């Protein structure tokens, strides 16, 4: 019955979502489609609840719920959305469904439970180069410059995360969209300093320095167009780069 709920105030669709069964979800939708965006005691909708799981059928259940107008932007009591739960549980297929089928913008999703990281930061951390690039690219396409340069509780941006992961394609895409390479985290580190910390080798370090410098000198990657060119060079020279690095940037 529609009014039947358990102690967590979960209805029949919540329980079908917990069971992660497409057949059960479709049956409940046929009988009570109005339950699809109801929230339980923790603020979970059936969609966000199924995204806390990582079963074989999770992405299929997500697809069915989205087609039936489940709202992916609903926040639970912790301020988390379905996409945040899917990323936190490394359910990339569910993330793919949420980013491709959702009509709501994801750009301002901030995870309070994860050091106030942006949804883009979470995606870069959880996704893998190659197979999962479409999820990250979809999120990047939605981001304005402010959110590309958003800093979490550690002062880090999506660029810090991309360089820490060694994900060159994402690094370059971020810069092309206006992400800055000059933002320091709470420890005073520029994104490039992470390359040095990781000790990935002189060759990789030189490559990153060269393409960052190229973007800066042509007016990109500083979040301000051509006006950042002189300031950018000075900032990078005054950072933790070595003297030789500063000469290459100059």
């Amino acid at each position: 019955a529609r009014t039947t709920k358990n102690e967590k105030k979960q209805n029949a669709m919540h329980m079908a979502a917990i069971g992660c069964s497409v057949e059960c979800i479709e049956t409940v939708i046929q009988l009570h489609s109005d339950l699809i965006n109801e929230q339980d005691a923790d603020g979970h909708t059936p969609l966000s609840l199924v995204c806390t799981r990582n079963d074989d059928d999770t992405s299929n259940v997500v697809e069915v719920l989205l087609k039936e107008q489940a709202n992916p932007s609903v926040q639970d009591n912790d301020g988390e959305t379905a996409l945040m739960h899917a990323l936190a549980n490394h359910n990339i297929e569910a993330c793919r469904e949420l980013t491709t089928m959702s009509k709501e913008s994801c750009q301002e999703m901030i995870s309070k439970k994860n050091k106030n990281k942006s949804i883009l930061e979470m995606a870069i951390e959880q996704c893998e180069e190659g197979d999962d690039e479409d999820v990250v690219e979809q999120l990047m396409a939605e981001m304005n410059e402010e959110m590309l340069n958003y800093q979490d509780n550690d002062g880090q941006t999506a660029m810090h995360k991309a360089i820490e992961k060694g994900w060159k394609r994402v690094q370059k895409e971020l810069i092309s969209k206006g992400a800055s390479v000059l933002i320091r985290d709470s420890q005073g580190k520029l994104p490039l300093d992470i390359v040095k910390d990781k000790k990935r080798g002189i060759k990789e370090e030189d490559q990153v320095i060269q393409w960052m410098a190229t973007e800066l000198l042509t007016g990109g990657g500083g979040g301000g167009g051509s006006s950042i060119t002189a300031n950018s060079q000075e900032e990078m020279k005054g950072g933790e780069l070595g003297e030789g690095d500063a000469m290459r940037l100059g």
Side-chain angles (χ1 to χ4, degrees):
R2 189 207 184 294
T3 56
T4 300
K5 295 183 179 180
N6 62 17
E7 67 279 2
K8 293 184 178 181
K9 297 185 178 180
Q10 292 170 334
N11 61 40
M13 200 172 298
H14 284 106
M15 288 180 267
I18 292 172
C20 211
S21 166
V22 172
E23 184 178 354
C24 288
I25 284 287
E26 289 177 335
T27 298
V28 177
I29 288 173
Q30 289 177 358
L31 296 172
H32 301 294
S33 60
D34 55 331
L35 298 179
I36 201 160
N37 287 312
E38 274 199 7
Q39 293 174 272
D40 65 13
D42 295 320
H44 284 298
T45 63
L47 178 62
S48 64
L49 198 58
V50 76
C51 287
T52 64
R53 306 179 65 84
N54 195 359
D55 299 318
D56 291 341
D57 270 348
T58 300
S59 61
N60 295 325
V61 174
V62 168
E63 181 180 4
V64 170
L65 289 170
L66 288 172
K67 284 181 177 178
E68 295 297 330
Q69 307 305 310
N71 185 352
S73 297
V74 175
Q75 297 180 346
D76 63 22
N77 295 353
D78 292 320
E80 303 291 288
T81 64
L83 181 55
M84 291 176 182
H85 287 298
L87 281 170
N89 287 279
H90 198 68
N91 193 329
I92 305 304
E93 283 301 320
C95 293
R96 187 170 286 112
E97 293 292 340
L98 286 160
T99 54
T100 56
M101 295 183 66
S102 174
K103 295 179 181 179
E104 302 289 334
S105 174
C106 302
Q107 75 170 8
E108 293 185 2
M109 289 185 183
I110 304 298
S111 179
K112 296 177 182 178
K113 290 177 67 177
N114 290 283
K115 297 185 177 182
N116 279 321
K117 292 176 183 175
S118 71
I119 197 70
L120 180 56
E121 283 182 90
M122 291 180 68
I124 292 171
E125 286 183 330
Q126 293 293 334
C127 293
E128 296 299 329
E129 188 170 2
D131 294 343
D132 308 333
E133 285 185 15
D134 58 316
V135 174
V136 176
E137 288 175 354
Q138 179 70 26
L139 289 171
M140 279 195 291
E142 294 188 13
M143 299 288 151
N144 58 29
E145 192 172 295
E146 180 181 357
M147 287 309 299
L148 285 174
N149 292 313
Y150 170 86
Q151 292 176 272
D152 60 25
N153 287 358
D154 294 325
Q156 294 205 325
T157 65
M159 181 63 77
H160 285 90
K161 301 296 183 187
I163 288 185
E164 184 173 14
K165 196 92 176 261
W167 205 339
K168 295 182 180 65
R169 180 172 171 180
V170 172
Q171 295 163 17
K172 293 183 179 181
E173 186 70 13
L174 283 167
I175 279 193
S176 72
K177 291 183 178 296
S180 176
V181 298
L182 304 177
I183 295 175
R184 295 180 182 275
D185 65 17
S186 58
Q187 295 183 329
K189 293 185 181 296
L190 296 168
L192 186 57
D193 294 327
I194 295 174
V195 180
K196 292 175 174 291
D197 289 347
K198 289 288 183 180
K199 297 180 180 178
R200 288 183 174 137
I202 298 299
K203 184 177 180 180
E204 179 175 350
E205 190 174 307
D206 284 348
Q207 288 175 343
V208 176
I209 289 171
Q210 286 169 8
W211 67 254
M212 279 189 177
T214 300
E215 292 292 337
L216 290 170
L217 293 170
T218 55
S226 59
S227 63
I228 58 89
T229 304
N231 291 337
S232 299
Q233 293 179 72
E234 189 64 30
E235 175 72 12
M236 293 189 81
K237 288 178 184 178
E240 295 185 26
L241 302 179
E243 183 178 348
D245 299 334
M247 290 176 63
R248 285 196 295 274
L249 288 169

